[in-house]
Each structure stands twice: as structure tokens, then as C-alpha cells.
Amino acid sequence: MPHDTPLIATIVAGLGLAFVFGALANRFRIPPLVGYLVAGVLVGPNTPGFVADAGLANELAEIGVILLMFGVGLHFSLKDLLSVRAIAVPGAIVQIGFATALGAGLAWMLGWSMGAGLVFGLALSVASTVVLLRALQERRMIETERGRIAVGWLIVEDLAMVLALVLLPALAGVLGGQEQADAHASGLLSLPASYGIWGVVGVTLAKVAAFVIVMLVVGRRVIPWILHYVAHTGSRELFRLAVLAIALGVAFGAAKLFGVSLALGAFFAGMIMSESELSHRAAEESLPLRDAFSVLFFVSVGMLFDPFSLLSNGLPILATLAIIIIGKSLAAFVIVIAFGYPLATALVISASLAQIGEFSFILAELGVGLKLLPEQGRDLILAGAILSIVLNPLMFLVIDWMKPWLEARAARKAPAMEAKPIGPATEPGQVVSVAAAAKGGDGPPPRTELTNHAILIGYGRVGNLVGAALKKAALPFLVIEDADKTLAKLKADGIETVSGNAANAEVFAAANPEGARRLILAIPNAFEAGQIVLRARAANPGINVIARAHSDAEVEHLKGLGADTVIMGEREIARGIVEEVLGSEVEQTSGY
Ligand code: AMP
């Protein structure tokens, strides 16, 4: 190599191996994130061979966190956030308290100091943003009520950790560690230890509040203005750049100037952008980068992991894991149920929070640095994080499996339950979330009863017009659609739906392609459409397939895979324009 390029090496090795092992994991029907973690272990210092730069990998992963939280913010309004505070605030606080107590208990059994117990417990109490958001996104739950509660809960945890990170150095002396005035330098406005505990808490909260106010007052005006300005330049490149610069800039500024976490800063940047009509475009602009960087998050976690520590620390690791996935879940479950939410909500929240990640590592590092936490504590936290992340998809399977059983028990115990209006569960937002619950984030979607029907895929600009025509002609059909908002509209219109990505085998099978007469592909992505055509032909050689395309190459591609008719959008638009022009010429000439 001509010169040293650790950043490039880290990105290439990280993304390359993550891709290989992610694909492999997928092949064996294991969640791809397990593959990403394995890739991380391989490029990490604990296995022989190439070693990537852990510090760089970590920072790259932070970018992933920023973009993820930014994306979530784009789907949130301040109103959404405030609407879940009644459950998210007490829920997160009680759960943090409970998990911290359990962690401190384990620390006590291991003979550690009280300070060690506190740090250890706190580290076990915060869930990972990346793991939670990806789990919710995969199940299309972010925009349901359950998703909003989980995200709100996460934000409260995030705030609590911001506090913990500034408080620990100030308290280290009292807790039996090493007092360090500037151990956590939170940027320009870092706090001298002489403020005292309440002073530190006060100043930290004041800084968070100042950030929120600045965003609501200044950001709210400036950010949409920038976006509109850039949109008018007509340069797509500049628009993408603007979105990225705002997301990263606000997050970084929040962290450096206000001592708020990067994730929280990005969330606010997204939330402010969501108030402008351009937000959807903005969200899409940041998608590919977001996915790539969040993969690097898992790689960087894998890098920290020493597989041999599993052998020497067996029992304590099991206990740590039990606190994370059983202790925390139980606490969350009980709280959510106590607030009168439905069982399904409680289960989803428990499962999504039953893991730990980036914040726990930061806390562990800080604890070790302050001589509060023994090195063994950090190893336990790391092992607990890896294992709980790997097991997290399993948790969702477990709740799918437990739900019917718990429901049956609940029904037996309290048959009159349903009639009782139960607090927050009867808010208007609930209608949507019931629809969302029925649409099967959990388990395969139920199979349709229709036969001799048309399967319409996509209900956007094209699909909704086709659907309206089919309905008018009283032809039997159903729609496969994967956008929550569109699904809600379809339900309201009383049109049968299968929810999910039609390229997914289970989802597609639920539409009964064997018994269908016609398949209408009204989605813009020709790659996905091609996969679906193949699948449909395999299931039903006689089915009539009509597809949508946007270029001649796509027409070829889809016909090659077996579509009977392919309508090229741009050609039809041109036809409409030509008709309009020539028609008006005719009118004008005949008018004279
Ligand atoms: P439009 O381009 O406006 O016609 O919108 C396309 C619609 O198809 C959107 O509502 C998407 O949510 C939906 N869609 C796109 N891809 C898929 C897919 N693979 N499965 C199900 N729905 C899809």
C-alpha cells in the first residue's frame, strides 16, 4: 500500500465482511445482525489476522446512531412525543431503578464496591438505540402507538444517561473511585466539579432545556428555510448534502455545545425537519447511508468482544444476561400493563428494551477510567451486550409465542376486561395501532379466502387509481402494501389487504397467488417487481401479470422474467402530453 489508510481499511473490512457474513446468516435463516457481529469479532483485536481500528469503527458507528435517530425524528412530531410521556417517563425511570438494583445486587455478590454496583447496574439498564430502532423498523412498528412508546421510553433513558455521564465524574470521590474534575469533558461548557451534585444536575438540565428551546425557536425557522432554499436550486446533490449536513451538524453541535447526546441532537434535528413538507424527501435521502452505518455499529460492537471471556466468566455472564433479558423485561411488562395498555403493547416494549448497547459501553469505559468499576465489570457488560443483541430477535419470537397463552389466561381471569374502558388504551391513536397490530408485525400474515381475484401490489400514486377502478367494476381483489399510513387508508376504505413487503415469500403467499387470476404490480422498483413476478410464475404458471416500469431496460427485465404486459410510465405520460398538445392545437384551429 502506498500509504497508511486506516479509515479506508476499517470501512472496507467492516462493510465487506459484514456483507459476507450477513448474507451467510441470511442463508441459514439467522438474523443478519448476528453475521455483522461475527464480522466484527473477526476484524477485532481478539482474533488473529487483520485488525481494524476500533476507535475509528466506533466513531463510524456513532454516525449510524445519528442517522438512525434522525430518521426516527423525521417520523415524529412534538405532539407524538408528548402524547407518550405519561407512560414513557415513569416507565423508563422505574425500569432504570429496577435494573440498577438488580445489577448492584449482582455486583455485591461478586464482592465489588457500591460505586461499582451503581455503574454496573446503570449500564445494564439502558437499551441500545440501534438495536431497538432496527427491531421496530423491521417489524414496521415505529409509527404505531407501541413504537412511539418505545421510542419515547428510549429518549427518557437517553436523557437519564446524559445525566449519569456528567454526574459520575463529580460523584466518583464519594462513591469510592477517583475524583476527576474533567473526566467527562462535555465540550465547551464542561462542568467543574466544584458545582456540587445539585449544581451539576441543574446545569446539565438547563443545557438540555436550552438546546430544546434553541431548536424550537431558531431551528424551527432556519432548517425549513435552508431546505426550501436548496430545493429551489433544483440540485439533488445539494439537497442531499443539506439534509446530511443538518443532521450531523445539529447532532454534533448538540453534543459539543449543550452536552446533549449525539443521538438526542439528531432526533431533534429530524423532528424539526418533519414539520416541513419536504421531510419525506429528506428521509429518503439519508436512507442508504443510514443502513450502511448502522451495520458498522454491529461490527464495532463485535470488535470489542473477546470470545474467550465467555469461558472464564461463565456464571457471572449468565447472571448479567438474565438481568438484561428477564429482569428488565419483567419490569417493563408490569409497568406497561399497570398503565392499562394492552398485552401486545407490553410485550413489544419488553422485548424491544431487553438488550443493552452503546451507552452501556460508554458508561463502562467511564466507570473503569474513574476506578469505580473493575475490569471484570466491563467484560461482563460487553458479553451481556453481545449476547442480548444476538438474542433480541429471539425475544420477539418468544413474545409471539407467549401472546396467545397470556391472552387466554387473561381472558379466563377477567372475562369482562374488554368492556372496561382502560385509560390510555382508548385514545384516538389506538384505532390506528389496532389496525397495525392486526397487520402482523408479529408472525406471518393470515391467508386470504379470495380466489379468482386480482392481486394488486402497491397502493401509491398508481395503485390507488387501479384499485378504485377494480372496486367500481366490482372485481374481487386485494392489495399488498407495506406503508403503514397507506394500510390505514386501505382499511378505512374497506379494501382487503395483506401487509408487508410483497417480495417476502410469506407475505406474498398470504395473497393466495395459486388461486389468483391476475397480478398487478404497481410498485416503482423493478428489481423487487421482478422477484415478485418470478415467485408468482412459480406458484401459478397461468396467472396474468401486468407490471409497471420506468425505462425501456426495466420493460425488458420484467418481460424477461415473465410479465405478460409491462406499462412504461414515462411513455404513458408522454402520450398524455402529446394528446393534450395536439388536442388543443385542433381545438384552436377549429375555433377560428
Ligand atoms: P407510487 O410510486 O406512488 O405508486 O407508490 C408505490 C407504493 O407501493 C407505495 O405505497 C409503497 O409503499 C408500495 N410498495 C413499494 N414497494 C412495495 C413492496 N415491495 N411491497 C408492498 N408494497 C410496496
Side-chain angles (χ1 to χ4, degrees):
M1 225 185 281
H3 55 269
D4 203 21
T5 52
L7 179 61
I8 298 181
T10 303
I11 294 181
V12 173
L15 289 182
L17 282 179
F19 165 61
V20 172
F21 283 91
L24 219 72
N26 190 42
R27 181 81 191 67
F28 292 106
R29 295 175 175 273
I30 307 171
L33 66 85
V34 177
Y36 308 152
L37 288 169
V38 172
V41 175
L42 287 181
V43 296
N46 299 308
T47 48
F50 171 77
V51 175
D53 187 321
L56 286 178
N58 237 329
E59 281 193 42
L60 292 170
E62 286 269 3
I63 298 187
V65 177
I66 293 177
L67 294 179
L68 263 173
M69 278 306 266
F70 174 69
V72 174
L74 279 170
H75 292 293
F76 254 75
S77 66
L78 198 59
K79 212 175 87 224
D80 289 334
L81 192 60
L82 292 178
S83 76
V84 297
R85 70 175 185 278
I87 170 86
V89 174
I93 291 175
V94 172
Q95 198 198 20
I96 291 178
F98 187 66
T100 306
L102 287 179
L106 178 59
W108 179 75
M109 289 201 282
L110 292 168
W112 301 347
S113 71
M114 196 191 87
L118 183 68
V119 177
F120 185 66
L122 276 176
L124 298 190
S125 69
V126 267
S128 157
T129 311
V130 182
V131 178
L132 178 128
L133 293 182
R134 285 181 54 118
L136 292 178
Q137 259 160 12
E138 238 161 63
R139 294 166 183 81
R140 297 181 306 282
M141 285 186 184
I142 295 252
E143 283 173 77
T144 64
E145 184 188 42
R146 288 177 260 171
R148 279 199 293 273
I149 295 175
V151 172
W153 193 300
L154 189 80
I155 285 171
V156 178
E157 286 192 358
D158 223 65
L159 277 173
M161 284 309 120
V162 168
L163 268 182
L165 289 179
V166 294
L167 278 180
L168 276 180
L171 290 178
V174 190
L175 292 170
Q178 199 178 62
E179 195 139 5
Q180 272 181 10
D182 54 353
H184 178 70
S186 55
L188 296 180
L189 310 177
S190 67
L191 303 176
S194 58
Y195 278 27
I197 299 174
W198 293 113
V200 174
V201 174
V203 173
T204 307
L205 289 181
K207 287 202 291 187
V208 172
F211 169 70
V212 174
I213 291 170
V214 167
M215 283 305 283
L216 291 183
V217 176
V218 183
R220 210 182 213 157
R221 296 196 171 82
V222 174
I223 294 178
W225 182 83
I226 300 178
L227 284 182
H228 278 282
Y229 171 80
V230 183
H232 286 151
T233 65
S235 163
R236 201 175 271 170
E237 178 179 299
L238 269 183
F239 189 82
R240 291 202 179 123
L241 194 57
V243 170
L244 202 60
I246 292 172
L248 295 178
V250 171
F252 194 71
K256 287 294 161 195
L257 298 175
F258 298 95
V260 179
S261 68
L262 288 168
L264 221 51
F267 175 80
F268 266 93
M271 208 167 81
I272 298 289
M273 268 196 204
S274 80
E275 296 191 355
S276 121
E277 335 115 46
L278 291 164
S279 78
H280 248 86
R281 215 172 133 191
E284 275 150 29
E285 304 294 335
S286 67
L287 272 180
L289 270 178
R290 181 182 77 186
D291 294 347
F293 280 109
S294 71
V295 164
L296 282 178
F297 165 77
F298 293 103
V299 176
S300 77
V301 173
M303 287 181 68
L304 297 171
F305 183 57
D306 179 4
F308 303 104
S309 76
L310 284 184
L311 302 177
S312 52
N313 264 332
L315 217 54
I317 288 181
L318 274 186
T320 308
L321 193 62
I323 294 176
I324 301 170
I325 63 182
I326 302 173
K328 276 173 68 174
S329 311
L330 274 181
F333 182 81
V334 170
I335 300 161
V336 179
I337 289 287
F339 270 82
Y341 281 89
L343 190 71
T345 306
L347 286 173
V348 165
I349 304 224
S350 306
S352 53
L353 294 164
Q355 34 83 14
I356 60 172
E358 61 273 20
F359 258 124
S360 315
F361 307 146
I362 299 175
L363 267 179
E365 281 306 324
L366 183 67
V368 171
L370 292 169
K371 304 248 176 331
L372 274 176
L373 187 69
E375 303 251 332
Q376 191 198 4
R378 183 180 54 193
D379 292 345
L380 290 184
I381 289 171
L382 269 176
I386 296 258
L387 295 175
S388 66
I389 292 174
V390 169
L391 292 177
N392 195 246
L394 217 64
M395 287 291 290
F396 278 90
L397 286 183
V398 169
I399 62 168
D400 283 345
W401 165 82
M402 274 173 65
K403 208 171 92 184
W405 180 75
L406 280 173
E407 262 164 4
R409 265 182 64 118
R412 223 178 319 135
K413 258 194 190 158
M417 238 326 234
E418 284 143 276
K420 206 171 79 181
I422 31 176
T426 49
E427 277 176 13
Q430 185 65 9
V431 180
V432 181
S433 78
V434 167
K439 80 180 185 55
D442 352 42
R447 199 180 165 89
T448 180
E449 317 244 291
L450 287 179
T451 51
N452 267 331
H453 56 300
I455 303 173
L456 172 59
I457 300 185
Y459 203 69
R461 292 161 299 176
V462 176
N464 89 76
L465 298 176
V466 178
L470 292 176
K471 198 170 172 187
K472 202 161 161 214
L475 292 170
F477 74 105
L478 61 80
V479 177
I480 308 186
E481 173 57 69
D482 67 356
D484 284 340
K485 285 220 171 84
T486 317
L487 280 164
K489 199 174 80 197
L490 278 160
K491 289 238 159 71
D493 290 351
I495 295 174
E496 180 169 346
T497 56
V498 174
S499 72
N501 184 343
N504 174 301
E506 273 179 355
V507 171
F508 189 63
N512 185 19
E514 294 84 1
R517 182 192 295 269
R518 230 187 257 288
L519 171 68
I520 306 168
L521 287 151
I523 57 174
N525 182 332
F527 280 106
E528 268 179 15
Q531 290 303 314
I532 300 167
V533 173
L534 282 179
R535 193 157 275 153
R537 277 272 167 264
N540 178 351
I543 194 167
N544 177 258
V545 179
I546 306 173
R548 157 183 175 189
H550 296 279
S551 71
D552 293 337
E554 287 179 359
V555 175
E556 285 303 303
H557 175 69
L558 290 167
K559 283 212 160 143
L561 293 177
D564 298 295
T565 317
V566 183
I567 310 287
M568 211 275 255
E570 279 62 15
R571 215 180 276 159
E572 298 308 312
I573 296 173
R575 199 206 309 253
I577 293 176
V578 169
E579 257 168 34
E580 184 64 29
V581 172
L582 295 187
S584 71
E585 288 288 327
V586 171
E587 259 167 43
Q588 276 182 12
T589 40
S590 64
Y592 283 113

